[in-house]
């Protein structure tokens, strides 16, 4: 009689394990899960566009996860390059004189996750840019060169910010 209780407990435990394995399999087959992720970086360019600096009075960047890197350029254009895997939500537009970049990472389930897949924003900006830059980065590094006349506001929740 004592073995009946053990058998019932094992059947319940196996049922729970089978339930979670089936749920993981369903999520994985729909493309919303990865088995192993070691923090690899995607190098696919998913957006690359150039804007005239004369039309831009302010730059507003909001990103969930990834690095935001500003690089100086010698021409009079602002170039925005976004890296990722193409499944994320990217909104880059100019409304009035404001360049708005919103990069939202697609949430997915990972069984063994040792780091997120990085989604980077690289902005090539003239060194003579002298207007407003607002940055909100929830996870990742932020690097901005020495823009002597620009007004920069950075809101970062973690990692590091470099402003020369």
């Amino acid at each position: 009689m004592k073995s009946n209780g053990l058998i019932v407990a094992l059947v319940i435990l196996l049922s729970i394990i089978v339930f979670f394995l089936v749920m993981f399999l369903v999520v994985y087959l729909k493309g919303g899960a990865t088995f192993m992720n070691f923090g690899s970086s995607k190098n696919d360019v998913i957006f690359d566009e150039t804007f005239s600096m004369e039309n831009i009075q302010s730059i507003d960047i909001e990103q969930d996860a990834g690095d935001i890197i500003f690089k100086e350029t010698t021409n009079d254009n602002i170039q925005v390059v976004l890296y990722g895997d193409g499944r994320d939500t990217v909104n880059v537009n100019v409304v009035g004189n404001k360049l708005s970049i919103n990069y939202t990472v697609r949430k997915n389930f990972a069984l063994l996750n040792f780091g997120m897949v990085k989604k980077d924003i690289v902005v090539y900006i003239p060194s003579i840019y002298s207007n407003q830059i607002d940055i909100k980065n929830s996870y990742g590094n932020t690097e901005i060169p020495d823009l002597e006349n620009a007004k920069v506001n950075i809101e970062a929740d973690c990692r590091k910010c470099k402003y020369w």
Side-chain angles (χ1 to χ4, degrees):
M1 293 293 161
K2 291 183 180 181
S3 64
N4 286 342
L6 181 62
I7 291 173
V8 170
L10 286 176
V11 168
I12 291 173
L13 180 64
L14 287 174
S15 299
I16 292 171
I17 291 172
V18 167
F19 174 76
F20 282 113
L21 287 175
V22 168
M23 293 305 293
F24 174 74
L25 183 63
V26 168
V27 172
Y28 187 79
L29 290 176
K30 285 187 173 183
T34 56
F35 183 67
M36 297 181 100
N37 181 7
F38 293 102
S40 62
S41 177
K42 286 288 198 176
N43 292 325
D44 299 338
V45 175
I46 60 172
F47 182 87
D48 186 357
E49 193 168 332
T50 303
F51 304 94
S52 174
M53 188 179 76
E54 297 171 356
N55 300 332
I56 307 297
Q57 296 297 321
S58 120
I59 299 173
D60 184 26
I61 300 175
E62 186 171 337
Q63 180 172 352
D64 285 347
D67 296 343
I68 299 173
I69 302 166
F70 281 79
K71 295 184 178 180
E72 286 187 69
T73 183
T74 56
N75 59 18
D76 289 338
N77 295 323
I78 297 173
Q79 181 181 5
V80 177
V81 181
L82 302 175
Y83 296 92
D85 60 5
R87 297 182 296 170
D88 304 317
T89 304
V90 176
N91 293 318
V92 179
N93 53 26
V94 177
V95 178
N97 291 333
K98 181 179 185 178
L99 173 62
S100 178
I101 304 167
N102 190 339
Y103 195 178
T104 304
V105 175
R106 179 176 168 251
K107 307 288 190 245
N108 63 352
F109 173 77
L111 183 62
L112 298 173
N113 189 6
F114 295 103
M116 297 182 69
V117 176
K118 294 173 64 175
K119 320 292 183 166
D120 296 339
I121 298 174
V122 179
V123 179
Y124 296 92
I125 190 165
S127 57
I128 59 171
Y129 182 80
S130 61
N131 295 317
Q132 184 74 28
I133 300 174
D134 294 316
I135 299 171
K136 182 178 181 187
N137 194 2
S138 297
Y139 179 81
N141 295 336
T142 303
E143 297 179 13
I144 301 176
D146 186 16
L147 302 171
E148 293 180 9
N149 298 321
K151 299 164 204 75
V152 180
N153 293 322
I154 300 173
E155 181 181 330
D157 290 338
C158 62
R159 304 262 329 243
K160 60 183 174 182
C161 294
K162 291 182 183 176
Y163 181 71
W164 289 275

